[in-house]
Amino acid sequence: MSQEPDHGPDGRAPAGRPGPGRRRARGGGRRRWLAAGGVAALATVLGLSLALRSGAAPACAAPPVGLAGAGPVAAGRLPLAAPPTGSTVHKGKATFYDSKGAGGNCSYPSAPADRMYVALGPTEYSAGAACGGHLDVTGPRGTVRVLIMDQCPECAPGHVDLSREAFARIADPVQGIVDVSYRAAVDPPLSGPLTFRIKEGASQYWFAVLVAEHGNPLRAVDVRQGSGAWRTAARQDYNYWQIDSGAGPGPYAVRVTDVYGHRVTASGVTMSPGRVQRSTVTMYGGSAPAARKNPTSRPSSPSPTASPTRATASPSAVASASSPGAPQVSDPPALAASEAEPGAGRPVDCTSRG
């Protein structure tokens, strides 16, 4: 599993990026299945059966890359990297894992409080472009809505790796691997306004911000200080939006645009590394109190009932039971909202994904 590049191969922080890195904990070395033909596949199934009969935890097994149903890959051709969007229905396989409360490769301070999340393979994770989006995944027992918050390096296109709790909504966990269909949840209901988290080590000379509570995958983040020009931030594969030369000491206005054209601007974001700052503007569907209404709102689709399981909160933030990805800071100062602008988603070792 990839991690935030706060440290280089030699273990030192890169120049211009001081501050501690949030390494994503691993609960031991990752175990993978290496299947070779039908004999290995049969051995895997037999191993799963023996483990279950002996009382071991259910195998959270991912099918090997290229397994039938895990996503078509034409000979000599790789699918284009892109997150699931629009109304396209995808068919494939689902497995499950446990992030142990961590927020995954998308760098969220913690897993969502309802524990409904998913990791996608590199093609659909698309270097972080899928982060913060949602999928509706349908299996033998029904449909569940999950937040895209992690990457599964060994997952082929069409393979979704759900949280244990989400998998249990759509199938019997004893199965380990099931056939599913899934599609993007367009404009899912929002639990609150946009939040912003400036990365540890940031300063007026190097800027990086994590945006959360946006519902759909994001297309662009622009930043400006005062009445200066807008500066476009570059998305990193760990979901921070970065300006290498910095954006000044702040405070900042941050303009956020999603893949469906919703665009809003929040002002008053301060240079406060490591602290989640909650704005008063929502991405679509109307604004929070004290924010103007978003004229580009779209109708929202219903969301499945959430599990009451509580996630572990970041030490610097208090987890909100309604938050899909980033906990809110206790009694934070509200950021000013500007008017919304029109718009121009193995055997898994049952431990932390990493």
Side-chain angles (χ1 to χ4, degrees):
M1 182 64 63
S2 63
Q3 63 188 33
E4 299 179 21
D6 285 302
H7 300 273
D10 58 358
R12 293 177 296 177
R17 295 159 180 76
R22 266 194 329 104
R23 291 183 181 274
R24 298 167 59 238
R26 295 179 183 273
R30 176 180 298 282
R31 301 189 295 256
R32 300 186 182 180
W33 281 347
L34 299 176
V39 174
L42 178 58
T44 297
V45 173
L46 291 175
L48 171 61
S49 299
L50 291 173
L52 293 175
R53 290 173 182 174
S54 65
C60 309
V65 173
L67 184 66
V73 179
R77 298 179 61 187
L78 294 176
L80 295 176
T85 56
S87 59
T88 302
V89 176
H90 307 263
K91 293 184 180 298
K93 299 285 184 180
T95 53
F96 64 91
Y97 80 108
D98 188 351
S99 78
K100 301 296 185 182
N105 210 72
C106 292
S107 299
Y108 297 125
S110 68
D114 64 6
R115 302 280 299 169
M116 298 293 121
Y117 56 82
V118 64
L120 300 180
T123 299
E124 293 178 302
Y125 181 78
S126 189
C131 287
H134 295 74
L135 297 181
D136 287 333
V137 182
T138 301
R141 285 183 173 175
T143 300
V144 66
R145 178 163 293 174
V146 287
L147 171 73
I148 301 170
M149 73 159 206
D150 211 347
Q151 180 176 202
C152 172
E154 66 271 36
C155 291
H159 176 191
V160 295
D161 206 12
L162 299 166
S163 67
R164 181 188 299 271
E165 293 83 356
F167 189 95
R169 295 283 188 89
I170 64 164
D172 184 345
V174 170
Q175 293 180 263
I177 306 171
V178 294
D179 293 320
V180 296
S181 63
Y182 61 95
R183 62 189 296 177
V186 180
D187 292 359
L190 299 171
S191 63
L194 290 172
T195 66
F196 302 89
R197 184 181 189 274
I198 304 297
K199 196 175 190 331
E200 294 89 346
S203 70
Q204 62 179 312
Y205 306 110
W206 183 79
F207 180 91
V209 64
L210 173 72
V211 184
E213 310 288 352
H214 43 81
N216 300 311
L218 295 184
R219 186 178 70 198
V221 171
D222 304 293
V223 181
R224 74 177 178 190
Q225 179 174 289
S227 58
W230 287 106
R231 305 189 62 186
T232 299
R235 175 170 34 218
Q236 307 302 300
D237 63 3
Y238 55 98
N239 197 31
Y240 271 83
W241 295 81
Q242 183 172 308
I243 301 175
D244 282 337
S245 58
Y252 315 99
V254 182
R255 184 171 65 190
V256 182
T257 308
D258 71 17
V259 295
Y260 302 114
H262 300 300
R263 176 181 290 173
V264 294
T265 301
S267 58
V269 179
T270 62
M271 177 53 72
S272 303
R275 183 170 69 85
V276 176
Q277 301 179 58
R278 181 173 52 206
S279 75
T280 57
V281 62
T282 54
M283 197 68 205
Y284 51 81
S287 298
R292 297 190 183 101
K293 185 177 181 181
N294 185 341
T296 60
S297 61
R298 297 174 181 236
S300 297
S301 55
S303 174
T305 303
S307 165
T309 305
R310 184 175 298 276
T312 302
S314 164
S316 61
V318 176
S320 167
S322 62
S323 170
Q328 307 300 323
V329 172
S330 299
D331 301 322
L335 304 180
S338 67
E339 186 171 1
E341 305 173 33
R346 113 197 62 115
V348 171
D349 56 20
C350 296
T351 63
S352 171
R353 172 165 295 286

